[in-house]
Amino acid sequence: MVSLVLVSHSRRLAEGAAELARGMGGPDVRIETAGGLEAPEAVGTDAALVLAAIERAWSEDGVLVLMDLGSAILSAEMALDMLPQERRAKVRLCAAPFVEGAVAAAVTARLGAPLDQVAAEAAGGLQPKLTHLGEAPGVAAPASSAPLDRAVARTLRLIVRNAHGLHARPAARFVQTASSFDADVRVANLTAGRGPVSARSLNAVATLGVGKGDEIEVLAVGPDADRVLAALRELAERGFDEEFEPELGAESAAPATAPPGALAGIPASPGIALGPARRFHPPQLEVPSARATDPEGELRALERALAAAAADIEAQRAAVAGRVGASRAGIFDAHLLFLRDEGILEPVRRRIREEGVTAAAAWRAAVEEAAASWEALPDPYQRARAADLRSVGLRVLAHLLGVPVPAPRLEEEGILLAPDLAPADAAGLDPARALGVATASGGPTSHAAILARSLGIPAVVGLGERVLEIAEGTPLALDADVGLLHVAPPPELVRELEARRRARAEAEAAARAEARAPARTRDGIEIEVAANIGAPQEIPAALAAGCDGVGLLRTEFLFLGRATMPSEEEQTAAYREIARALEGRPLVIRALDVGADKPLPYLAQPPEPNPFLGVRGLRLGLARPEVLRTQLRAILRVAAEHRVRVMFPMVTTLEELRAAREHLRAAVEELGRPIPEALEVGIMVEVPAAALLAHALAPEVDFLSVGTNDLTQYALAADRGNERVAALSDALHPAVLRLVAATCEAGAAHGRWVGVCGEVAGDPLATPVLLGLGVRELSMNPPAIPAVKRAVRATDLGRARELAARALELPTAAAVRDLLATELGDRP
């Protein structure tokens, strides 16, 4: 498989882009970064670091290197020169947009494509978003290949429930899944009467314009036709693996009532900002009117500009992912797809060849036509994508003209006022200067709003045209918690808001400052606060956040999105890399947790009507012992050298646990070495039956880790991926807490420690209740670690036990949250 190296002036940018690319392309793709210099906060590039990253990422299938700007390109070229001659031919420097390019490359590499194809996809990384425009005026939908014979095709009809339909991220998952099977797959939007198009083309899928509630039809022909349809059905049931952005109803999205001297808008990113009004105006680029004399040369220039723009966007994606996480940075994947959208590129090429215009003129005309088509769509979310397209178009145009890409820049700190922000504009904001954002238009679900939230920049959108009339330098107070922009606020209001802002900032800074120290309760009990991770590349961020170890390594990153099962050697190398990086901290490796809900193309399974209650987790491992045994041998090899714990997922019965332990003993015998003395064996408690039978399970394990995400959905019969019942799925519901309590009681009775690795572990409000129930290890997404450690230090276990006992007697999750908010209000 082709691997990637991301080179940036900023370490955070490089790591962020890598996280975003992994989030879209999957964890199987090897991605290394070379960001910044040796000093942690230094900005710059170093050829030696780039060379080291290429060596770490080395693959016989090739290494694709994406760079941001300036010296990153020079450093990458120097690193290439330093490589042994025999390796240089397998390393490609790609001028794709940094972020979008990385995403497109990761998605394509995961499908097993050769280096040339991965590079081409990176260069055209904006195409999917362009295709998402649909069959609007001026935009031709990509043609599909020869139509399928419906007489032999297997078909599937689905209703798309995602809030914004098959936009970039869910469309990418759709294409990845469809491409993982031996079948010719097409998809049509029955509601809109569009298609069918190839399901292997992200751009083609995007052109269908599938919105929420639309019905799609999937047709498949080939050996895996039934399996691919089953996988796509399950993917749809999971919401296309998308982290749902809450849908704001008319009431919550409506602007607040403005008091005198203020403008009311829609809260888009919480927080408070105080400072002078600032604005930027990206320069317009003039396109020469000269006719083209060399059409083929113009076409080559277009391809170079698309590749350069893709590299830029990939860099942005990487930077954003490093700062805010892969799920948020995934919006740049659509930008990359714009660059490969035949609905835009075909008219450009036609104008160049038939009308004799320059690539710059043809590109500008095609982008404006496509943007106008977006703006004509009825869905406001899709209309807002016109700004994204124009932003991408401007970047390509700059490369065509050979001028610097116009970028918004704040020369002085303040509150940014703008008509609206393109995602690229928002991604480039420096929170040290952009204290807040106030826009005339836009909505709380716009890409810019999502990025502002992720970057921690307070933002209010939809303030109206009056915000653009505010003079540069005017004192402003932005209360993004309620959606108000106060113009020339009175001193007493400034003092009030400043006090709120300062208290919040101090709490966050204090939590970060002490994050690396152990988390001990007020009465001296140390609690292990660990990280949930899904790939080796996530370790640096976890360590920087102060993790005491890894409480959940999702090993699926090695298995998903590939055509064959990873070998024992591959698994051993990956687990060893993580264990070494932890430098003695514990590593909990969860055995493979896939199945009918997360199918693997190389493990044939019949479709199941309810995959979440089917053959998944440990059930699949016991059904396919060769898969489980290979993984256990790899884990044992690493456990012989490092502090490793193995954990079996979705244990339901004592018989399953004993069967799993028997496979562990067999793996030890196969290795011909004694079981490592320090190896701990545990289970995930994520099925109510396991919690209720914990007294029988605990004696046969060393620890129990409660997976509250699944435990909550099973206990409350509320699919956590279904927004219509999302309100029910609260891990602080007394019914769920009683299951946690039963697990902790069984663990204590047999001297076994109990952890929690679900989302609730990262909620500081829940910390005292969980500790009061008996939990002694909390594992979460790395950004939550500092705040949770601070919550642990503020907890007295005696009081926490009393609080937990009271919570268990309450009737609802809301009542539990009210109790905690009231009782914990006096904590420092």
Side-chain angles (χ1 to χ4, degrees), residues 30-374:
R30 179 84 175 189
I31 304 177
E32 294 291 340
T33 63
L37 302 173
E38 287 291 348
E41 300 302 323
V43 174
T45 59
D46 185 330
L49 296 179
V50 178
L51 177 63
I54 293 173
E55 294 289 356
R56 292 195 305 272
W58 182 254
S59 166
E60 288 298 324
D61 293 324
V63 179
L64 187 69
V65 182
L66 298 102
M67 307 139 289
D68 53 15
L69 303 173
S71 68
I73 301 171
L74 298 177
S75 294
E77 290 175 333
M78 292 176 63
L80 188 59
D81 289 340
M82 291 188 284
L83 277 172
Q85 185 64 40
E86 64 274 11
R87 287 200 166 191
R88 292 182 195 174
K90 293 188 177 182
V91 178
R92 179 76 54 81
L93 304 187
C94 182
F98 191 67
V99 178
E100 289 87 339
V103 172
V107 171
T108 310
R110 182 180 177 183
L111 300 178
L115 181 59
D116 286 346
Q117 186 177 342
V118 174
E121 288 294 323
L126 297 181
Q127 185 177 355
K129 194 167 186 180
L130 292 174
T131 55
H132 190 70
L133 296 171
E135 293 179 335
V139 182
S144 63
S145 53
L148 295 182
D149 183 352
R150 284 183 173 269
V152 299
R154 310 291 289 178
T155 62
L156 168 69
R157 291 191 175 190
L158 299 168
I159 303 296
V160 175
R161 305 293 185 187
N162 292 53
H164 303 297
L166 288 186
H167 66 90
R169 284 171 285 177
R173 290 293 295 121
F174 185 95
V175 171
Q176 289 166 351
T177 302
S179 302
S180 299
F181 294 86
D182 183 9
D184 185 1
V185 186
R186 310 288 173 83
V187 57
N189 183 343
L190 297 181
T191 302
R194 298 173 182 166
V197 299
S198 171
R200 291 177 178 264
S201 168
L202 183 55
N203 297 324
V205 173
T207 60
L208 295 175
V210 178
K212 181 179 180 180
D214 284 0
E215 184 179 18
I216 62 174
E217 182 181 49
V218 186
L219 303 93
V221 170
D224 288 345
D226 288 330
R227 293 179 60 212
V228 70
L229 294 184
L232 290 171
R233 178 191 295 110
E234 291 151 8
L235 178 66
E237 291 171 352
R238 301 198 306 270
F240 297 93
D241 294 339
E242 183 178 24
E243 178 184 345
F244 284 107
E245 211 35 57
E247 288 189 88
L248 300 181
E251 181 177 337
S252 61
T257 301
L263 299 177
I266 304 170
S269 176
I272 294 168
L274 300 163
R278 304 293 184 203
R279 53 171 50 86
F280 55 68
H281 301 282
Q284 297 299 312
L285 296 179
E286 293 296 328
V287 177
S289 58
R291 305 290 290 176
T293 58
D294 180 10
E296 292 306 315
E298 294 293 328
L299 290 171
R300 288 192 297 272
L302 173 64
E303 292 304 316
R304 289 193 298 270
L306 292 171
D312 294 346
I313 296 170
E314 282 289 0
Q316 285 184 326
R317 186 186 192 280
V320 171
R323 296 161 72 183
V324 305
S327 65
R328 296 305 192 195
I331 61 179
F332 287 99
D333 293 346
H335 290 199
L336 290 169
L337 293 176
F338 276 142
L339 297 177
R340 298 182 61 81
D341 189 340
E342 286 301 317
I344 291 177
L345 293 177
E346 192 279 330
V348 174
R349 297 185 184 113
R350 186 181 66 251
R351 285 187 173 103
I352 292 173
R353 290 193 177 105
E354 300 177 6
E355 301 176 19
V357 300
T358 63
W363 174 260
R364 183 177 64 178
V367 168
E368 280 306 312
E369 290 173 358
S373 299
W374 275 109

Side-chain angles (χ1 to χ4, degrees), residues 696-746:
L697 299 171
E700 307 207 14
V701 295
D702 299 302
F703 67 93
L704 304 102
S705 184
V706 183
T708 52
N709 296 352
D710 271 341
L711 183 63
T712 301
Q713 83 166 346
Y714 289 137
L716 301 178
D719 181 358
R720 56 194 174 104
N722 186 337
E723 71 273 19
R724 291 180 293 174
V725 295
L728 294 173
S729 190
D730 190 333
L732 287 180
H733 193 287
V736 180
L737 294 180
R738 285 177 176 271
L739 294 172
V740 177
T743 305
C744 290
E745 289 167 6

Side-chain angles (χ1 to χ4, degrees), residues 597-608:
D597 61 318
K598 287 181 283 187
L600 299 176
Y602 46 87
L603 291 181
Q605 282 187 270
E608 295 180 310

